[in-house]
């Protein structure tokens, strides 16, 4: 505390000395008294002196008061006195009517005492802990003290509260206090706490702040409520502005829908109180925060959809068309509607369908444009209407077409007023602000829409009775050349630049009148005053656009001739300097900052936000075009064509890869199908094996029966019967053996055919592989050729750069005529030129070689495709042949086994079998011998 006394000065003599002594005695009493009542009385006395003797109480008693808060927390009365005393010495509420110097000293004193208090973080934590006490005499002074500390030292106090356990939660609990004065002061505290601190804003939002604040607003009567509603809205603005996380939480929590009742318009709109106007103004600001252009496009789009679906946009449009609405609320409502519909097709379509309650009904857009071109309307209102019209046309090609169509000949009744008529009327009125607003609005109808730029060329205007109509483009240039006000000319130049940029047809129409070029060059070449600098810069930009987007269809105004005109009449350096005047304007920087057109006065309205983007995009292009020679342009065109060819080749390769992927997928499907067929074949083979096993079992049973019958035969009759059975069995077995031999012969013949087919397929496969290898070598050669072309292109670029440097050096040497090395430079230049020509010829030859290689590649690719298809077919046939060969081998093995078995049975039955060749004849003889017995 002695340090603070030294910084803020000693104690003056006189009455102040007695006050200081009194305070010293009270401090001693607080420190030394053992009775709680004595300490309480001393703290109460300090409180009464704290406003008059802020310095003395702050420097001498602050430590004692903190000690009281720590030790006497059970007594709410003394705690309340201590908190009130600290609040009085820190705040300077009583100093408002003092002089400026005294006010500044009081502020410095409060800040220094605040630093002394928050120097120990435990002091803030102690005060936050005391806020848990429900007693009014403790909680209310604590809220006021924290608020005062935040006002004095917002950042440090925010940091302490943020790291304090449950610090933010304790402050949020104050909103649930049933005593309105504490709740209302808690709103002010939270406003200071959340100011500029995103971390605390997030914590407060997730502590259910949105729900509580919206409930308070509803309880207090929404827009008809008092100052408490305004405080809630200010806190909501503090939580949502520039905080994407809280905005997303607000939208996902369906809190946007709860804003709709705020804007319900009653039939009786009279008697708008000042507080209601303020509340509604804050509510509109809150809507704009959610759809501000500075937010991310995704967040804006989702909020716009939510506002449309819940009916909030409809409510805002109702206020827009209502009667009796104050001017400032109407202006802010127009700005809010502008940002709700900006870039949202659904919202723009709805806004286009809104009609004013007039007889006959008129579209809201027409009614608003009538206000924009009316010079008797307030300036801010006209700017708001322009912003609304720009937002309606932003990324809205349908709306742009509708606006331009109202300027074209149609079947619309002559008595009806259209947007196009109002824009033309404002474009050619005597009010310069109307001229500027109409020109900028019309330029937005052409933004990023070449089709409407061409359509606008068809517009014809009847300037006076008895004279033929002239085009809108010609009328704009006529007014421009008449030397009207700066604001009017700036607006017309903005319209013309936006119109003819990226539209060669419009450039041709503009250059067709040779007076336009004369006017532009005359304006640029003159040395005019400061006010005319902007006009000169815009004229330079317009002339540069005529060069950049010139299709050379007019012989007298080709790119090269316009460049020569600039060099002779203006000078390239002077032209570029005049062009740079645009971006150096203060109004340019302000317009580039935000889409909404604003200005302190009507005369300051010179730039449009979208036009600043166009200037930024074209300034470098125009400068480069002016300095670029025809030879360089030709070379750039060649390089561009080469790149396009390379892109075309890459596209072809991509298509080839896609086709190959499709073929691979088809082959994979075939493999799956063949796998399923193989599984089915395996199941068939298994069934056949099972049948063979059953036949073997039957044979074994029959053999057993025969053996059993031969053992039991006792007489001749039985023996004859057994011989009859044996003959029948032998006959049947001979037939089966003959059939199996025939099948075996057929299978062997078919197997020989399959082997021949396999041999042929293998040879064709080898030829296919050789063809593919040759194609791969061709592809490698083509890649090497492309690499060589790229290397030569790089060398040409380097030589061109060296040539440009040598040209500049040679030009400077020629002007000075004193450099003896000029001849050497000239010879070097000639050599470089010859080298450049040689390299160009080499590039041409390589390009021809590359084209030939490309044709070879195309032919090879087609051959490869055919060979691949044939190879796939042959591979399938080869696989099928191999499978069938395996099946035949298995069948042959089975047949051989059966033949061996049958021969064994015949031998067992007593038949003599010497060899297979004689078996048939022997069997036939046996049959003849057996016939008489039968």
């Amino acid at each position: 505390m002695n340090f603070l006394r030294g910084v803020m000065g000693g104690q003056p003599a006189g009455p102040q000395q007695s006050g200081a002594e009194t305070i010293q005695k009270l401090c001693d009493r607080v420190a030394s008294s053992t009775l709680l009542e004595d300490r309480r009385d001393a703290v109460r006395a300090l409180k009464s002196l704290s406003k008059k003797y802020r310095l003395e109480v702050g420097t001498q008693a602050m430590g004692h008061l903190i000690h009281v808060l720590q030790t006497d927390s059970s007594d709410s009365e003394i705690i309340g006195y201590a908190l009130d005393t600290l609040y009085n010495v820190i705040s300077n509420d009583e100093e408002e009517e003092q002089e400026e110097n005294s006010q500044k000293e009081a502020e410095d004193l409060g800040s220094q005492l605040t630093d002394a208090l928050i120097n120990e973080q435990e002091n803030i934590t102690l005060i936050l802990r005391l806020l848990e006490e429900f007693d009014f005499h403790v909680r209310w002074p604590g809220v006021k003290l924290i608020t005062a500390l935040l006002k004095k030292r917002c950042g440090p106090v925010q940091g302490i509260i943020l790291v304090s356990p449950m610090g933010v939660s304790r402050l949020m609990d104050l909103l649930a206090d049933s005593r309105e004065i504490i709740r209302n002061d808690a709103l002010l505290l939270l406003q200071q706490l959340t100011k500029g601190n995103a971390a605390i804003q997030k914590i407060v939002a997730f502590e259910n702040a949105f729900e509580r604040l919206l409930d308070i607003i509803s309880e207090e009567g929404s827009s008809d409520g008092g100052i408490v509603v305004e405080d809630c809205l200010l806190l909501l603005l503090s939580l949502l502005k520039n905080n994407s996380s809280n905005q997303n939480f607000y939208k996902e929590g369906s809190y946007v829908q709860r804003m709709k009742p705020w804007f319900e318009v009653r039939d009786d709109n009279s008697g708008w109180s000042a507080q209601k106007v303020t509340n509604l103004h804050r509510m509109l600001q809150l809507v704009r925060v959610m759809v501000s252009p500075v937010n991310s496009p995704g967040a804006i789009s989702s909020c716009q959809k939510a506002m449309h679906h819940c009916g909030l946009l409809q409510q805002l449009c109702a206020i827009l068309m209502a009667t009796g609405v104050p001017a400032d609320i109407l202006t802010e409502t127009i700005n809010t509607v502008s940002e709700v519909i900006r870039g949202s097709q659904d919202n723009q379509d709805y806004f286009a369908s809104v009609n004013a309650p007039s007889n006959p009904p008129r579209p809201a857009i027409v009614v608003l444009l009538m206000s924009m071109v009316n010079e008797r309307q307030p300036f801010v209102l006209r700017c708001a209407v322009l912003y609304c019209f720009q937002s309606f046309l932003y990324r809205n090609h349908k709306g742009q077409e509708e606006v331009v169509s109202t300027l074209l000949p149609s079947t619309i009744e002559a008595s009806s007023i259209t947007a196009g008529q109002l824009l033309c009327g404002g474009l050619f009125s005597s009010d310069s602000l109307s001229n500027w607003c109409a020109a900028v609005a019309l330029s937005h109808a052409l933004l990023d829409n070449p089709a409407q730029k061409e359509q606008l060329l068809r517009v014809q205007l009847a300037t006076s009775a008895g004279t033929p109509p002239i085009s809108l483009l010609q009328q704009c240039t006529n007014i421009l050349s008449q030397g009207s006000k700066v604001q009017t000319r700036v607006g017309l130049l903005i319209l013309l630049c936006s119109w003819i940029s990226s539209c060669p047809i419009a450039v041709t129409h503009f250059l067709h009148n040779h007076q336009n070029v004369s006017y532009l060059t005359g304006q640029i070449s003159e040395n005019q005053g400061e006010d005319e600098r902007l006009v000169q810069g815009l004229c330079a930009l317009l002339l540069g656009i005529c060069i950049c987007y010139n299709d050379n269809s007019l012989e007298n105004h080709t790119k090269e001739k316009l460049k020569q005109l600039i060099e002779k009449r203006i000078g390239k350096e002077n032209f570029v300097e005049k062009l740079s005047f645009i971006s150096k304007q203060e109004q340019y920087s302000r317009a580039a900052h935000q889409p909404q057109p604003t200005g302190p006065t009507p005369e300051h309205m010179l730039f449009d936000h979208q036009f600043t983007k166009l200037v930024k995009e074209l300034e470098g292009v125009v400068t480069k075009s002016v300095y670029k020679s025809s030879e360089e342009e030709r070379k750039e065109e060649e390089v561009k064509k080469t790149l396009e060819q390379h892109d075309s080749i890459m596209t072809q390769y991509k298509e080839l890869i896609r086709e190959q992927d499709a073929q691979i997928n088809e082959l994979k499907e075939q493999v799956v199908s063949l796998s399923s067929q193989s599984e089915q074949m395996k199941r068939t083979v298994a069934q056949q094996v099972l049948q063979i096993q059953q036949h073997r079992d039957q044979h074994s049973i029959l053999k057993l029966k025969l053996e059993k019958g031969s053992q039991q035969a006792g007489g001749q009759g039985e023996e004859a019967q057994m011989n009859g059975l044996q003959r029948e069995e032998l006959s049947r077995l001979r037939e089966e053996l003959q059939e199996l031999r025939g099948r075996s012969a057929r299978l062997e013949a078919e197997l020989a055919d399959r082997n021949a087919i396999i041999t042929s397929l293998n040879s064709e496969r080898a030829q296919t592989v050789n063809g593919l290898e040759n194609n791969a070598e061709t592809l490698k050669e083509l890649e090497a050729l492309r690499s060589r072309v790229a290397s030569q292109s790089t060398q040409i670029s380097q030589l061109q750069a060296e040539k440009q440097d040598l040209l500049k050096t040679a030009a400077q040497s020629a002007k000075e005529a004193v450099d003896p090395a000029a001849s050497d430079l000239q010879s070097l230049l000639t050599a470089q030129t010859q080298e450049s020509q040689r390299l160009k010829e080499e590039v041409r030859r390589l390009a021809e070689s590359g084209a030939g290689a490309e044709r070879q590649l195309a032919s090879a690719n087609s051959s490869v495709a055919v060979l691949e298809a044939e190879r796939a077919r042959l591979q399938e046939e080869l696989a099928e042949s191999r499978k069938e060969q395996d099946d035949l081998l298995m069948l042959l093995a089975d047949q051989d086994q059966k033949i061996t078995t049958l021969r064994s049975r015949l031998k067992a039955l007593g038949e003599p079998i010497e060899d297979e060749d004689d078996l048939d004849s022997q069997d036939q003889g046996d049959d003849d011998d057996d016939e008489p017995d039968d």
Side-chain angles (χ1 to χ4, degrees):
M1 296 308 171
N2 292 330
F3 170 76
L4 283 175
R5 289 196 195 98
V7 172
M8 292 176 281
Q11 301 171 0
Q16 294 294 335
Q17 183 68 27
S18 59
E21 292 177 354
T22 303
I23 292 169
Q24 183 62 46
K25 291 180 180 179
L26 291 173
C27 292
D28 294 340
R29 186 177 173 186
V30 171
S32 60
S33 296
T34 57
L35 295 177
L36 179 60
E37 292 78 2
D38 292 341
R39 295 197 299 276
R40 186 189 304 129
D41 293 340
V43 174
R44 185 191 299 113
L46 287 172
K47 174 189 171 184
S48 62
L49 296 173
S50 58
K51 292 184 179 180
K52 186 176 181 180
Y53 300 102
R54 291 178 61 197
L55 174 60
E56 290 77 5
V57 174
T59 54
Q60 298 182 34
M62 185 175 291
H64 300 293
L65 295 174
I66 296 297
H67 183 71
V68 167
L69 296 178
Q70 294 172 344
T71 57
D72 295 329
S73 57
S74 59
D75 185 73
S76 59
E77 190 173 357
I78 191 173
I79 295 297
Y81 292 149
L83 293 173
D84 279 332
T85 305
L86 292 173
Y87 171 75
N88 290 338
V89 299
I90 288 173
S91 64
N92 54 322
D93 295 341
E94 301 296 326
E95 309 292 339
E96 294 180 357
E97 298 181 358
Q98 294 184 1
E99 297 179 357
E100 182 178 354
N101 293 334
S102 300
Q103 181 76 9
K104 186 176 180 180
E105 293 177 0
E107 290 285 351
D108 292 340
L109 175 61
S111 299
Q112 292 172 2
L113 293 175
T114 300
D115 291 337
L117 180 61
I118 67 175
N119 190 36
E120 297 292 336
Q121 295 187 9
E122 291 78 8
N123 296 340
I124 305 299
T125 305
L126 175 62
I127 298 172
L128 291 174
R129 190 165 58 250
L130 292 174
L131 291 178
E132 294 180 351
E133 178 64 41
F134 187 74
D135 192 287
F136 178 80
H137 296 91
V138 175
R139 179 168 286 188
W140 188 42
V143 171
K144 293 193 297 180
L145 178 58
I146 294 293
T147 306
L149 293 173
L150 286 167
K151 288 181 179 179
K152 296 295 182 183
R153 289 288 184 265
C154 185
V157 177
Q158 284 176 334
I160 296 173
I161 294 175
L162 187 61
V163 299
S164 297
M166 300 296 291
V168 179
S169 299
R170 289 192 179 103
L171 298 179
M172 282 298 301
D173 291 340
L174 300 174
L175 290 180
D177 200 302
S178 58
R179 293 159 294 195
E180 290 188 0
I181 187 172
I182 294 180
R183 183 199 66 185
N184 298 343
D185 283 351
L187 291 173
L188 301 178
L189 187 155
L190 291 172
Q191 288 178 27
Q192 296 294 328
L193 178 65
T194 57
K195 187 181 298 183
N197 193 308
I200 294 180
Q201 291 170 0
K202 293 179 183 179
I203 295 174
V204 171
F206 283 96
E207 288 283 348
N208 207 22
F210 295 142
E211 185 75 28
R212 295 184 186 181
L213 293 174
L214 293 175
D215 289 341
I216 295 173
I217 292 173
S218 300
E219 293 169 3
E220 295 292 329
S222 296
S223 60
D224 294 323
I227 189 70
V228 177
V229 173
E230 182 183 0
D231 290 337
C232 291
L233 294 170
L234 288 173
L235 181 53
L236 285 172
L237 286 170
S238 177
L239 293 173
L240 294 174
K241 193 171 184 179
N242 300 325
N243 194 316
S244 57
S245 175
N246 282 1
Q247 290 175 7
N248 187 52
F249 180 66
Y250 190 85
K251 175 182 63 68
E252 292 181 351
S254 300
Y255 298 120
V256 174
Q257 289 80 341
R258 296 188 60 177
M259 298 165 67
K260 178 187 174 184
W262 297 352
F263 305 102
E264 292 180 355
V265 179
R266 295 190 295 268
D267 296 335
D268 183 16
N269 284 325
S270 59
W272 287 67
S273 64
Q275 187 60 54
K276 180 177 181 179
V277 171
T278 302
N279 290 344
L280 201 55
H281 189 77
R282 301 296 184 192
M283 291 173 177
L284 292 170
Q285 286 182 335
L286 189 61
V287 176
R288 293 186 66 183
V289 164
M290 298 297 297
V291 291
S292 174
V294 301
N295 297 342
S296 64
I300 295 174
S301 177
S302 59
C303 287
Q304 288 173 333
K305 290 179 182 178
M307 291 177 181
H308 185 202
H309 292 158
C310 73
L312 179 58
L313 177 59
Q314 292 84 327
Q315 294 289 94
L316 295 174
C317 291
I319 296 177
L320 211 61
M321 297 291 104
T323 57
V325 179
D328 53 347
I329 293 299
L330 180 60
T331 301
E332 189 65 19
T333 303
I334 294 173
N335 288 327
T336 305
V337 171
S338 303
E339 295 182 352
V340 174
I341 68 174
R342 188 175 189 269
S344 174
Q345 187 65 54
D346 293 338
N347 293 6
Q348 289 166 341
D349 292 342
Y350 172 79
F351 183 70
S353 66
V354 176
N355 289 323
S358 59
N359 192 14
R362 290 175 178 169
I365 298 174
V366 173
V367 175
L368 291 175
L369 288 178
M370 293 172 65
S371 301
M372 186 186 74
V373 298
N374 187 352
E375 57 183 308
R376 291 190 296 272
Q377 292 293 338
F379 166 62
V380 291
L381 178 63
R382 299 172 72 182
C383 291
V385 173
L386 176 60
Y387 185 37
C388 186
F389 188 73
Q390 292 172 348
S391 299
F392 170 68
L393 297 179
Y394 183 69
R395 295 179 181 174
N396 184 7
H397 286 192
K398 177 182 176 183
Q400 291 174 326
E401 181 181 358
E402 292 175 352
V403 171
V404 174
S405 65
T406 59
L407 289 165
L408 300 174
S410 61
T411 58
I412 300 176
E413 298 180 2
S415 59
S416 63
I417 300 176
T418 64
Q421 294 174 358
L422 291 171
L423 291 177
C424 282
L427 195 62
F428 308 126
S429 70
S430 58
D431 179 37
S432 60
L433 182 60
S434 297
N435 303 152
W436 185 87
C437 290
V440 171
L442 195 56
S443 70
H444 277 256
L446 310 175
L447 190 66
D448 298 329
N449 198 331
Q452 300 311 315
K453 293 179 181 180
E454 297 179 8
Q455 287 290 334
L456 201 62
L457 295 173
R458 298 172 48 205
V459 177
Q460 299 290 322
L461 302 175
T463 55
S464 60
T467 59
I470 63 174
S471 66
L472 175 62
L473 181 65
Q474 185 60 45
Q475 181 65 9
C476 290
T477 56
N478 290 343
I479 296 176
L480 188 64
S481 61
Q482 291 173 2
S484 53
K485 294 182 180 179
V486 172
Q487 191 174 35
T488 300
R489 284 182 287 162
V490 169
L492 292 172
L493 287 168
I494 288 175
L495 174 59
L496 291 173
C497 290
S498 303
W499 190 347
I500 72 174
S501 65
S502 302
C503 185
I505 297 177
V507 172
T508 302
H509 279 73
F510 180 79
L511 294 177
H512 188 73
N513 186 355
H514 66 278
Q515 295 180 356
N516 293 336
V517 178
S518 301
Y519 170 76
L520 294 178
T521 54
Q523 287 288 319
I524 300 169
S525 59
E526 292 180 1
N527 292 322
Q528 299 177 350
E530 187 73 22
D531 296 338
E532 297 291 332
R533 280 191 164 191
L534 177 57
V535 176
Q536 289 181 310
L538 292 173
C539 288
L541 179 64
L542 184 59
L543 186 57
I545 293 173
C546 292
I547 296 175
C548 293
Y549 300 102
N550 194 335
D551 58 1
N552 295 326
S553 58
L554 296 176
E555 185 178 355
N556 295 330
H557 294 97
T558 61
K559 288 184 177 182
E560 188 61 28
K561 289 185 177 181
L562 289 177
K563 292 179 184 179
Q564 293 175 1
L565 183 64
I566 290 175
E567 187 173 3
K568 291 178 181 179
R569 296 194 55 184
I570 303 171
K572 294 182 179 180
E573 291 77 9
N574 189 27
F575 178 86
V576 174
E577 182 182 1
K578 297 294 178 66
L579 182 63
S580 65
F581 287 165
I582 301 175
S583 57
K584 293 179 181 179
Q585 299 291 322
E586 179 184 354
Q587 295 88 342
Y588 176 90
S589 301
R590 184 169 60 246
H593 183 65
Q594 59 179 358
Q596 181 179 353
T598 57
T601 61
E603 293 76 16
H604 284 77
M605 299 301 296
L606 295 175
F607 281 102
D608 169 61
H609 178 73
Q610 292 296 332
F611 182 70
T612 60
K613 292 184 177 180
L614 182 64
V615 172
K616 187 177 180 181
E617 176 185 348
L618 292 178
E619 187 174 4
V621 177
V622 170
T623 302
K624 188 176 180 181
S625 298
V626 170
Y627 278 107
K628 196 182 301 178
S629 63
S630 58
E631 182 68 18
E632 291 175 341
E633 288 185 351
R634 187 180 63 80
K635 290 178 180 178
E636 283 191 358
E637 289 294 331
E638 292 178 355
V639 173
K640 185 176 180 182
K641 290 180 181 179
T642 303
L643 292 176
E644 290 177 354
Q645 292 176 357
H646 288 174
D647 293 340
S648 175
I649 293 172
M650 291 300 296
T651 303
Q652 293 176 1
Y653 277 129
K654 289 179 181 178
E655 292 177 356
L656 178 61
I657 291 172
R658 281 194 290 268
E659 292 176 359
Q660 291 177 349
D661 288 340
Q663 293 176 0
I664 290 172
N665 292 331
E666 184 178 356
L667 291 174
K668 287 181 179 178
E669 293 176 357
Q670 292 178 3
V671 168
V672 173
S673 176
L674 292 174
S675 299
S676 62
Q677 293 178 7
S678 174
E679 293 295 331
Q680 185 175 0
M681 292 293 293
K682 288 180 180 179
R683 288 193 295 270
T684 303
V685 170
Q687 292 176 359
Q688 293 178 353
V689 170
L690 182 61
Q691 291 176 1
I692 291 171
Q693 185 64 36
Q694 291 176 354
H695 286 306
R696 288 176 178 174
D697 295 341
Q698 292 176 2
H699 173 69
S700 300
I701 294 172
L702 180 61
K703 185 177 181 180
L704 291 173
K705 287 182 179 180
L706 290 174
E707 292 177 354
K708 184 177 180 181
S710 61
Q711 292 177 359
Q712 294 178 354
Q716 188 68 27
E718 293 179 355
E719 186 175 350
Q721 185 178 4
M722 182 59 64
N723 290 332
L725 291 175
Q726 290 177 352
R727 292 190 187 96
E728 292 178 358
E729 182 67 19
L730 286 173
S731 177
R732 186 178 62 80
L733 290 174
R734 289 191 186 100
E735 292 176 358
E736 289 182 1
L737 181 61
Q738 188 67 26
E739 181 181 357
L740 289 174
R741 283 179 175 176
R743 289 183 62 185
S744 176
R746 289 195 302 272
L747 290 175
E748 288 179 352
E750 188 174 355
L751 180 60
D753 294 338
R754 294 293 182 181
N755 288 331
I757 293 173
I758 290 171
T759 303
S760 175
L761 289 176
N762 286 330
S763 63
E764 291 181 0
R765 180 183 179 187
Q767 294 176 0
T768 302
V769 171
N770 293 332
L772 290 175
E773 291 177 353
N774 294 332
N775 289 332
E777 294 178 357
T778 304
L779 289 174
K780 291 180 180 178
E781 292 177 358
L782 180 59
E783 290 297 330
L785 181 59
R786 286 181 180 159
S787 301
R788 187 179 177 187
V789 170
S791 176
Q792 293 292 344
S793 300
T794 305
Q795 294 178 6
I796 289 174
S797 300
Q798 294 175 354
L799 289 173
Q800 285 176 351
E802 294 176 0
K803 176 183 175 182
Q804 191 68 25
D805 295 338
L806 291 173
L807 282 172
K808 291 181 180 179
T809 307
Q812 183 177 2
S813 302
K815 289 181 181 179
E816 297 176 356
V818 294
D819 190 356
S823 58
D824 296 338
L825 289 173
Q826 185 64 30
S827 61
L828 181 59
L829 176 60
T830 303
Q832 292 290 351
T833 304
Q834 294 175 353
E835 179 67 14
S836 177
Q837 293 296 332
R838 186 186 65 78
L839 290 173
K840 285 165 61 178
E841 182 64 25
E842 180 70 15
V843 169
R844 185 187 63 77
R845 186 179 63 77
L846 290 174
E848 293 176 355
S849 301
E854 288 293 339
R855 289 192 294 270
Q856 293 177 5
L857 176 62
S859 176
N861 286 337
S862 61
S863 301
V864 168
V866 174
L867 292 174
E868 284 289 341
E870 183 66 19
R871 188 183 71 171
R873 185 181 64 79
L874 294 176
Q875 284 179 347
E876 292 177 2
E877 294 180 0
L878 177 62
E880 292 177 358
S881 299
R882 285 178 176 174
K883 288 182 180 180
E884 292 178 359
Q885 181 181 5
D886 294 339
D887 295 340
L888 291 174
L889 291 174
M890 292 176 64
L891 289 174
L892 286 175
D894 293 339
Q895 295 298 336
D896 290 339
Q897 184 66 30
K898 273 190 174 184
I899 290 171
T900 303
T901 304
L902 291 174
R903 291 179 66 185
S904 300
R905 288 178 60 187
L906 289 173
K907 289 180 180 180
L909 292 173
E911 289 292 329
I913 298 176
E914 298 177 357
D915 53 47
E916 293 183 359
D917 295 333
D918 298 333
L919 186 59
D920 292 338
S921 59
Q922 185 177 355
D923 291 342
Q924 183 64 35
D926 293 340
D927 292 338
D928 295 339
D929 294 338
D930 294 339
E931 286 179 359
D933 296 335
D934 295 337

